[in-house]
Structures are given as C-alpha cells and as structure tokens.
Amino acid sequence: MGYKNNNTGYLDGLLQSRAVIRKNNFAILPHDGLVNNVIPGFENCECSILGTPKLGASFVDYIISFKKDGANQLGFGGPEIESFLYVISGKLEVSDGKETHTLTDGGYIYLPAGEKLYMKNLQEEATEVFLYKKRYQPLENHQSYKVVGNLSELTPIQYEGMADVLLWDFLPKELGFDMNIHILSFEPGASHGYIETHYQEHGAYLLSGKGMYNLDNEWFPVEKGDYIFMSAYVQQAAYGVGRDEPLTYIYSKDCNRDPEI
C-alpha cells in the first residue's frame, strides 16, 4: 500500500483531508488520499480503486498507472460484465483477444459483456488510464458492441447551448448500451445552468482544472486528480474556477433502461 501521489512518510503540518464520504449519497476522494491496491491480473501497475458497490455505486471505477512492462494478461471483465478504458496519458496496447489496438492520449475502448480486455504498456514511462466496469442490463432485441476511438476524433457539443461548457459523448446513443461515458469541460467562470437532480448516478474523475462542486446542496472545492461519486437523485452542479485551465472531468452515466421494481 502507498499513497497514489507517492507522498509517504511524515508530513509537515497537520493530518487533514478534503475527503467527504457519505455512503449511498455522494463522495469526494482527493488524489492525496488515494492508495495503491493489489488487483489480480495487473502486473507492474499501481491501482487505485475508486467508486464501488461498498460506496453505493452500481459500477466500479479505477485509476491504473501502468509502469514499465505493466500489463494485464489475465483479462479484465468477463461474463455479464461490460468495461470501458480511457487513456489519460501514455501509450497502451489493448485487445479483446481477437483484435489489437494501440491507444494514446485520449484513446478509448468499450467492450460488451462477456468479452475480456487485455492491456500492455508500450512505453518506458508510465501510462495512466481511467477504467470502468459494470454488470450489463440486457434488453430484448438490442445489444452493445465494441467501440474504439480517440477523443480527438469526436466533435464536442455545447452543453445545453452554453459555448463555454463542452460535452463529448464516447458511445453510440443506441438502446443496446445501458451506459455512456462523457467528458464535460467548463471554462473558468462557466457552470451548469441549474442544480441537477436525476435518477442516473455518476462516477467522475477530474482530468484538469479546479472548481466548486455542489453535492446534496453543499459546495465543495475540487481539483485535478479528485474523484467524485454521485448517487441517484443527489443534487449536483459545478462551476470552474482559476485562470487558464478548464475544469474537465470524465464520467459515467447509466441510461436507456426503465427502473426495475
């Protein structure tokens, strides 16, 4: 075990944290407090487990740093489990056991339930990725399928007509997909147009910038490297602060399914 930012040993000053954990409601996990976990299959990797069912999520999020020769040859995912990977920085080889793809900064891959994802670092330096898995909810006469691409190939849309808030969608808007992954980016001073309250839950990893986030009608400071979990119906909104760098985060959203009773 070790801190994600390698800040081990005694600190100068008081032991303190911006972490806020309210299980089954929301959570903020600052990068300063993330620890490394041993996960079977991941070799020469530093793995931080983020959102999980123990927190209240219906999915699992990770930040994985593939060191030199870092790989997963065992396979990630499996029966009934769908997965998504996004390269934050670096160069990664990924495979579904049939085809191999090389992903660089902004590269991503989605694999449907039943397929395993194999990964290997292709550079001397570390490659950092955001990794997601979820139990797939089948829908009669519809199915998902593999999607591979890069953020640079996608056209952002103005979020609800706001030119300084941009949204990227990674997966097709088809009923075969029971979730989607997005990137949302706020220029300094930009914000949501209103406080959102909805059925969908999110897991969000901050890729850049600083901001203030409203969770359950409380405002919290957040910055690059932080992770936020938002459960169903928790109030949520954000605005970007700072000077030159936008507040940008990648996040998951469940969709295209009728709630079960």
Side-chain angles (χ1 to χ4, degrees):
M1 300 282 283
Y3 288 108
K4 175 70 169 59
N5 62 3
N6 295 316
N7 188 10
T8 57
Y10 290 112
L11 300 177
D12 293 329
L14 298 175
L15 288 174
Q16 54 189 345
S17 173
R18 292 185 293 108
V20 182
I21 310 297
R22 299 184 185 171
K23 292 183 178 180
N24 303 310
N25 190 9
F26 71 88
I28 300 174
L29 305 181
H31 51 90
D32 281 342
L34 298 183
V35 300
N36 300 320
N37 302 268
V38 175
I39 302 177
F42 287 93
E43 303 171 358
N44 297 320
C45 294
E46 293 183 350
C47 308
S48 289
I49 301 172
L50 304 173
T52 73
K54 287 188 175 182
L55 189 60
S58 63
F59 51 82
V60 180
D61 286 330
Y62 313 76
I63 288 294
I64 309 289
S65 181
F66 289 82
K67 302 301 183 181
K68 181 182 177 182
D69 299 322
N72 186 320
Q73 302 178 58
L74 182 65
F76 178 83
E80 302 181 0
I81 303 299
E82 58 189 337
S83 59
F84 180 91
L85 179 147
Y86 176 81
V87 176
I88 298 172
S89 63
K91 189 176 184 181
L92 193 74
E93 179 182 280
V94 296
S95 173
D96 59 0
K98 305 168 189 174
E99 293 182 296
T100 298
H101 309 271
T102 298
L103 303 181
T104 55
D105 295 17
Y108 61 92
I109 181 170
Y110 165 87
L111 287 185
E115 297 191 15
K116 285 194 173 183
L117 179 62
Y118 303 89
M119 300 155 268
K120 182 172 68 174
N121 189 11
L122 293 180
Q123 61 180 21
E124 296 289 313
E125 301 80 12
T127 290
E128 187 172 52
V129 308
F130 173 79
L131 188 61
Y132 165 99
K133 71 178 181 182
K134 175 182 172 294
R135 190 169 299 278
Y136 181 66
Q137 285 185 273
L139 183 64
E140 187 176 3
N141 299 323
H142 297 275
Q143 61 184 14
S144 62
Y145 50 85
K146 181 173 73 172
V147 179
V148 182
N150 191 283
L151 179 67
S152 63
E153 302 165 350
L154 304 177
T155 301
I157 62 173
Q158 294 183 3
Y159 187 70
E160 299 189 342
M162 295 181 286
D164 53 359
V165 183
L166 298 180
L167 176 73
W168 289 260
D169 290 323
F170 286 99
L171 300 180
K173 295 181 178 180
E174 300 176 10
L175 291 180
F177 294 85
D178 69 342
M179 49 74 67
N180 206 334
I181 300 285
H182 312 276
I183 281 182
L184 191 58
S185 183
F186 300 85
E187 291 298 322
S191 70
H192 284 89
Y194 51 90
I195 304 266
E196 296 184 358
T197 308
H198 51 64
Y199 166 74
Q200 292 79 14
E201 59 180 346
H202 299 310
Y205 184 75
L206 276 62
L207 300 172
S208 70
K210 297 179 180 180
M212 295 295 294
Y213 222 103
N214 186 303
L215 296 164
D216 204 17
N217 271 343
E218 295 184 57
W219 288 99
F220 301 92
V222 293
E223 64 182 5
K224 178 182 177 179
D226 289 354
Y227 176 79
I228 304 174
F229 165 65
M230 293 164 265
S231 69
Y233 299 111
V234 66
Q235 301 97 317
Q236 55 194 258
Y239 63 83
V241 303
R243 298 185 182 275
D244 301 320
E245 190 176 46
L247 172 67
T248 303
Y249 53 86
I250 185 168
Y251 68 105
S252 61
K253 179 179 73 175
D254 47 309
C255 61
N256 297 332
R257 295 296 183 269
D258 190 14
E260 296 180 354
I261 56 173

